[in-house]
């Protein structure tokens, strides 16, 4: 299955586009997305910028609500990655 | 209408303190408190030229409304609140956030203003990328919204 990850803040370094398509095994959850992100960051040599991102980011569903690590993803689901925030 | 919450595309429009003052003005209020945050020219010894603000628009507006309503319930249900935050590229000196509160008394006006500022920093999905004089740029660290694991 595949999901679309909308990128915000520091995670925008992961792609030139606003979203990143991620291939996942069927019935994957958010925890799996964190694992895949760790791999992508390593493959793209972005550890110096994004090493902590997989463990510190939150994820929003399409309803803009934070989802837990055991949240089951659906094929073609659109979710947002929310790196640590700091406005003001 | 006692609440105004907007994310301002700063390259197209400015955040205006005059607009804020007009919004919160009321004969019922004996106090007005206004906080203005601006992009400053230095951070951790680095010369800053500008900040780019990124935001999850819908979630930011939801959080702004929720924070302002919490503040009203906590301190003064009749308070008038104006909250605007910048989105996009903001050079040094630009207003990044403006919170204006009109309330019956000074204590509530100050408290609401402070409460909103701190909660925006901890709840609203907004990110800052600093641009430096040497041409480098950096996303700043922040507060994680990852849910805590239940023990």
């Amino acid at each position: 299955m595949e999901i679309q990850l909308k990128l915000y803040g520091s995670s925008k370094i992961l792609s030139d586009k606003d979203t990143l398509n991620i291939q996942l095994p069927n019935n994957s959850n958010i925890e799996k997305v964190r694992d895949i992100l760790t791999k992508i960051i390593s493959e793209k040599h972005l550890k110096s910028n994004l090493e902590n991102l997989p463990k510190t980011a939150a994820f929003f569903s399409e309803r803009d609500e934070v989802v837990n690590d055991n949240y089951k993803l659906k094929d073609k689901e659109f979710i947002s990655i929310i790196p640590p925030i700091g406005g003001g | 209408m006692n609440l105004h919450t907007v994310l301002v595309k700063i390259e197209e429009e400015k955040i205006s303190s005059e607009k804020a003052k007009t919004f919160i003005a009321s004969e019922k209020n004996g106090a007005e408190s206004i906080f203005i945050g601006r992009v400053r020219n230095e951070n951790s010894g680095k010369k800053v030229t500008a900040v780019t603000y990124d935001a999850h628009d819908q979630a930011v507006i939801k959080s702004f409304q929720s924070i302002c309503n919490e503040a009203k319930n906590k301190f003064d249900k009749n308070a008038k609140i104006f909250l605007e935050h910048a989105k996009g590229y903001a050079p040094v000196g630009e207003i990044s956030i403006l919170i204006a509160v009109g309330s019956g008394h000074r204590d509530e006006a100050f408290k609401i203003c402070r409460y909103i500022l701190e909660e925006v920093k901890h709840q609203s999905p907004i990110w800052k990328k600093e641009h430096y004089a040497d041409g480098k740029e950096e996303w700043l660290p922040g507060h994680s919204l990852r849910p805590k694991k239940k023990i």
Side-chain angles (χ1 to χ4, degrees), chain B residues 59-99:
Chain B
V60 165
I61 293 303
K62 257 194 217 176
S63 72
F64 280 2
Q65 288 170 353
S66 157
I67 291 165
C68 291
N69 285 322
E70 278 166 23
K72 282 162 70 95
N73 288 333
K74 216 169 154 63
F75 302 108
D76 176 5
K77 286 186 172 54
N78 298 314
K80 294 188 86 170
I81 302 175
F82 179 102
L83 167 58
E84 289 192 350
H85 197 294
K87 182 181 176 181
Y89 183 88
V92 164
E94 194 74 66
I95 297 178
S96 57
I97 184 170
L98 194 153
I99 304 164

Side-chain angles (χ1 to χ4, degrees), chain A residues 45-67:
Chain A
H45 307 289
L46 291 171
K47 269 190 165 182
S48 59
N49 304 89
L50 298 177
E51 189 171 19
N52 291 326
L53 183 69
K55 55 175 184 257
T56 55
F59 293 86
F60 279 3
S61 67
E62 282 179 74
R63 290 179 170 187
D64 305 328
E65 289 164 349
V66 178
V67 289

Side-chain angles (χ1 to χ4, degrees), chain B residues 1-135:
Chain B
M1 182 116 125
N2 285 340
L3 194 57
H4 168 96
T5 55
V6 172
L7 201 50
V8 177
K9 286 184 182 165
I10 208 70
E11 290 114 324
E12 297 170 14
E13 201 184 335
K14 300 290 173 202
I15 295 175
S16 153
S17 55
E18 291 310 311
K19 198 172 141 190
K21 284 179 200 164
T22 304
F23 182 84
I24 62 168
S26 167
E27 289 182 346
K28 289 181 185 170
N29 292 334
E32 292 176 357
S33 176
I34 298 177
F35 174 83
I36 296 175
R38 291 183 188 271
V39 176
R40 70 170 189 272
N41 68 357
E42 185 274 338
N43 188 21
S44 303
K46 294 182 203 167
K47 195 167 188 295
V48 175
T49 56
V51 171
T52 295
Y53 291 91
D54 187 24
H56 187 303
D57 296 20
Q58 305 94 302
V60 165
I61 293 303
K62 257 194 217 176
S63 72
F64 280 2
Q65 288 170 353
S66 157
I67 291 165
C68 291
N69 285 322
E70 278 166 23
K72 282 162 70 95
N73 288 333
K74 216 169 154 63
F75 302 108
D76 176 5
K77 286 186 172 54
N78 298 314
K80 294 188 86 170
I81 302 175
F82 179 102
L83 167 58
E84 289 192 350
H85 197 294
K87 182 181 176 181
Y89 183 88
V92 164
E94 194 74 66
I95 297 178
S96 57
I97 184 170
L98 194 153
I99 304 164
V101 180
S103 180
H105 304 279
R106 67 184 184 281
D107 191 37
E108 288 82 355
F110 279 133
K111 280 178 176 164
I112 290 173
C113 210
R114 184 65 192 258
Y115 181 87
I116 291 170
L117 180 62
E118 299 306 328
E119 292 303 313
V120 164
K121 284 179 177 287
H122 285 86
Q123 291 189 42
S124 303
I126 298 172
W127 299 271
K128 282 189 225 186
K129 181 166 71 176
E130 282 185 343
H131 302 270
Y132 303 111
D134 62 6

